[in-house]
Amino acid sequence: MHSDAPRYAPHDDRPGRREAVAVRPDGRRPGGPAWEALWLDAGTHRIPVRVYRPGAEASGWLVWAHGGSWQAGSLEHWHEPVMDLARVSGCTVVSTGYRLAPRYRHPAQLDDLLTALAWAEEQADGKPLAVGGDSAGGTLAACAALARRDRNEPLAAQVLAYPPLDPGCTAPAYTRDPGAFPAADDLRRAWRMYRGGAGTAVGGGVPLYSTPLEADRLTGLAPAVLAVGALDPVRDDVTEYARRLREAGASVRLRVFPRTPHAAFLAGDGPGQGNPRLRRWLGTTLRRHLTSPKETT
């Protein structure tokens, strides 16, 4: 792991005030948000985060979980894309690390994301709070939205970039292109490493799902902003989840990007680096939602 990654201790559920420690100096990229690195105290271990502040008046706060098949990914690797997301969305974005599989199984990852959300809510001082993530981080974000609903801790939005949702990888999109990333066999293996032998856990008296498809109801959830590429093997997972959310009465904005593969959130600018339009659509859609909360889709 990289320099922001903690050496995690075994986790327990002891209560304790979540606070930031070991603050590093702000950095600034020309034209980009100011940012700082923090550690959040989770009682038995610390969680690394980077906080990106877009300007004097943020439209809200967004806690972002990175991808990496629940086994990889880092705040450093996601630094530029998340900084861009903060700039486009106008939100203060908290990019959070979390304990990784297979050393740590579900619900460790979700617990860490919920800790980061609780800390961000304290800092937000009444501003709207949203959760989001890309790929495996999007799966965690969707599960965090369910846990927050069940704890009566509402969110302003859930922003999900191509989350895998079916541990069996059974939808037709998984076999449409045998060479597409992620391969179904690899993703099924990642699900096993992440979940171990169990799916739903319990924490704080509420279910902690490993995938939102385990939930018996999807009513009462935060408005959803979902994006996926047309060439992505998880495309059917995402479009089916959008359909289920709509049936449950949730507000949903879904966009399927043509000729776009998995991992598009990480795309950079410039020749040969891809096209960051998926990431920027997420940011602009969230900004519009937070500044026009009565808008429906």
Side-chain angles (χ1 to χ4, degrees):
M1 297 180 74
H2 299 280
S3 60
D4 273 344
R7 295 180 179 179
Y8 287 124
H11 179 69
D12 68 17
D13 291 325
R14 290 179 298 176
R17 185 173 184 273
R18 301 172 175 94
E19 56 187 359
V21 294
V23 180
R24 298 213 311 234
D26 284 1
R28 183 174 287 278
R29 164 189 172 198
W35 66 276
E36 60 182 346
L38 307 172
W39 295 91
L40 306 185
D41 181 5
T44 61
H45 61 283
R46 297 187 303 165
I47 301 168
V49 301
R50 290 187 179 186
V51 182
Y52 300 83
R53 303 180 188 275
E57 189 61 33
S59 57
W61 283 62
L62 169 65
V63 177
W64 192 264
H66 64 72
S69 298
W70 306 285
Q71 301 170 81
S74 70
L75 303 187
E76 294 96 330
H77 191 182
W78 265 251
H79 178 77
E80 294 292 336
V82 175
M83 180 178 286
D84 188 40
L85 181 63
R87 180 184 63 80
V88 174
S89 68
C91 287
T92 298
V93 179
V94 180
S95 179
T96 185
Y98 50 85
R99 288 167 291 171
L100 298 175
R103 182 179 179 187
Y104 297 101
R105 310 278 193 171
H106 172 76
Q109 297 81 4
L110 181 55
D111 280 336
D112 288 351
L113 178 53
L114 290 168
T115 295
L117 277 162
W119 178 83
E121 187 169 36
E122 292 177 357
Q123 312 309 306
D125 194 27
K127 287 187 178 293
L129 174 67
V131 69
D134 57 293
S135 194
T139 314
L140 296 175
C143 294
L146 281 158
R148 294 271 306 192
R149 177 202 67 182
D150 293 340
R151 293 177 178 178
N152 295 314
E153 298 170 347
L155 293 168
Q158 51 179 320
V159 184
L160 312 178
Y162 45 85
L165 299 173
D166 175 17
C169 305
T170 57
Y174 284 104
T175 56
R176 196 167 292 138
D177 178 1
F181 170 81
D185 285 346
D186 292 340
L187 193 50
R188 280 190 285 265
R189 189 177 303 112
W191 276 105
R192 291 194 296 270
M193 292 297 99
Y194 158 52
R195 300 170 85 217
T200 302
V202 177
V206 304
L208 298 177
Y209 303 107
S210 63
T211 167
L213 299 187
E214 294 170 335
D216 57 6
R217 66 182 182 91
L218 298 177
T219 54
L221 281 170
V225 178
L226 298 98
V228 68
L231 304 181
D232 194 326
V234 308
R235 172 183 173 173
D236 292 350
D237 285 9
V238 175
T239 55
E240 172 63 13
Y241 190 51
R243 184 190 67 78
R244 294 189 189 187
L245 286 170
R246 286 188 176 118
E247 284 188 350
S251 170
V252 177
R253 288 291 303 273
L254 167 68
R255 184 165 177 183
V256 179
F257 285 79
R259 301 179 300 281
T260 300
H262 198 74
F265 180 83
L266 296 175
D269 291 301
Q273 296 191 50
N275 187 332
R277 68 190 188 279
L278 180 148
R279 179 177 68 244
R280 291 177 181 168
W281 178 82
L282 291 171
T284 55
T285 303
L286 178 61
R287 180 197 287 263
R288 289 170 185 152
H289 170 70
L290 294 181
T291 56
S292 304
K294 294 182 180 179
E295 178 182 330
T296 58
T297 59

